[in-house]
Amino acid sequence: MATIADNLQAIRKRIGAATLLAVSKGQSVERIREAIAAGQEAFGENYVQEALEKMALLPSGLQWHLIGPLQSNKTRAVAERFHWVQTVASEKIARRLSEQRPEGLPPLNVLVQINASGEGTKSGISSREAPSLCNEIVKLKNLRLRGLMAIPEPGAPRSRFREVRMLFDALKPKFGFDTLSMGMSDDLERAISEGATMVRVGTAIFGPRTKKSNAGMTELQP
Ligand SMILES: *Cc1c(COP(=O)(O)O)cnc(C)c1O
């Protein structure tokens, strides 16, 4: 059976120069340690509480990305502990993250989440709304706007990825974007060939997730 180290190596080959974010939601601290031992340093989590529990058990110096929806009552913990938030979709959340980012830490890296699914999810804003939100975010002194993130629905056609890439290209000169985060285990080649610079990969690295993503909590119990 392929180990986590084997999976990481195979995926790094498939994605070329793109950045690999290892999505560790629903994976145990033990499995994350295996990925770290294989050289992986950037991890994505969807749930704030689960992420905080894992951070407490793992070495410092890792880079943590929030890739799940963020509610305003969780922004403080995120501003204090994460390095990236990929799911910014409102000025209110952006403002809170900037205000709550502790002095002495570098600016929090953020991506604006674009709703790229035909119907499906409600997360993210439309392409049309993106320029004005980006304009607001760049005024916030403790945030650093790095680009866009999207979650095309499973089986989404190439055109869905391409539309996000075209928006990215259009806004890039003005905002200095360097990161387009799209692509997961099942669509990473498609995303890369349509211009993704970062892919978020969970199951293809770690195997199936444990139920409802409680891996961190289980390990904390005596
Ligand atoms: C869970 C998740 C991923 C990883 O999905 P896999 O299919 O396991 O690779 C990537 N991005 C987001 C936003 C996710 O919620």
Side-chain angles (χ1 to χ4, degrees):
M1 211 182 89
T3 64
I4 287 172
D6 295 335
N7 292 341
L8 279 167
Q9 196 181 15
I11 290 165
R12 287 187 193 123
K13 273 208 194 95
R14 285 163 66 192
I15 68 172
T19 300
L20 176 58
L21 183 69
V23 174
S24 47
K25 67 167 177 233
Q27 304 291 350
S28 68
V29 166
E30 205 41 60
R31 297 179 81 70
I32 299 172
R33 286 209 179 94
E34 272 184 66
I36 296 167
Q40 182 66 28
E41 294 181 344
F43 294 90
E45 287 281 342
N46 291 56
Y47 306 99
V48 176
Q49 191 55 36
E50 178 183 342
L52 296 178
E53 289 167 9
K54 289 174 178 171
M55 288 175 195
L57 297 170
L58 289 164
S60 58
L62 302 173
Q63 189 186 78
W64 291 96
H65 295 232
L66 185 72
I67 60 170
L70 175 55
Q71 284 148 13
S72 53
N73 63 347
K74 297 271 173 60
T75 52
R76 183 173 298 280
V78 171
E80 288 175 357
R81 304 300 307 281
F82 281 78
H83 305 90
W84 288 66
V85 178
Q86 299 205 1
T87 49
V88 173
S90 78
E91 191 186 334
K92 179 184 171 199
I93 293 285
R95 202 171 286 287
R96 288 176 69 93
L97 287 170
S98 182
E99 283 164 5
Q100 294 169 343
R101 182 71 169 170
E103 293 299 324
L105 288 187
L108 182 62
N109 298 291
V110 300
L111 301 179
V112 165
Q113 184 178 357
I114 303 300
N115 185 339
S117 67
E119 318 84 57
T121 65
K122 295 136 271 138
S123 299
I125 60 168
S126 69
S127 299
R128 198 166 27 80
E129 298 169 292
S132 70
L133 179 56
C134 290
N135 266 321
E136 295 308 317
I137 291 175
V138 292
K139 294 180 198 157
L140 299 171
K141 80 171 187 2
N142 295 325
L143 301 187
R144 180 167 169 217
L145 179 60
R146 302 290 295 264
L148 304 178
M149 177 268 211
I151 315 174
E153 78 276 18
R158 279 177 177 277
S159 59
R160 200 90 78 222
F161 295 85
R162 195 168 309 149
E163 282 162 23
V164 181
R165 202 272 295 269
M166 286 167 65
L167 177 66
F168 178 81
D169 286 343
L171 299 179
K172 183 177 174 172
K174 176 163 186 195
F175 297 109
F177 286 172
D178 63 6
T179 303
L180 175 56
S181 170
M182 52 183 195
M184 322 204 301
S185 294
D186 289 337
D187 59 13
L188 58 96
E189 265 88 9
R190 215 171 324 156
I192 296 277
S193 70
E194 295 298 338
T197 68
M198 180 185 288
V199 291
R200 309 175 307 265
V201 181
T203 48
I205 295 173
F206 294 107
R209 285 180 274 276
T210 59
K211 219 172 82 210
K212 184 59 191 117
S213 188
N214 275 336
M217 288 176 192
T218 316
E219 291 206 352
L220 282 178
Q221 278 156 13

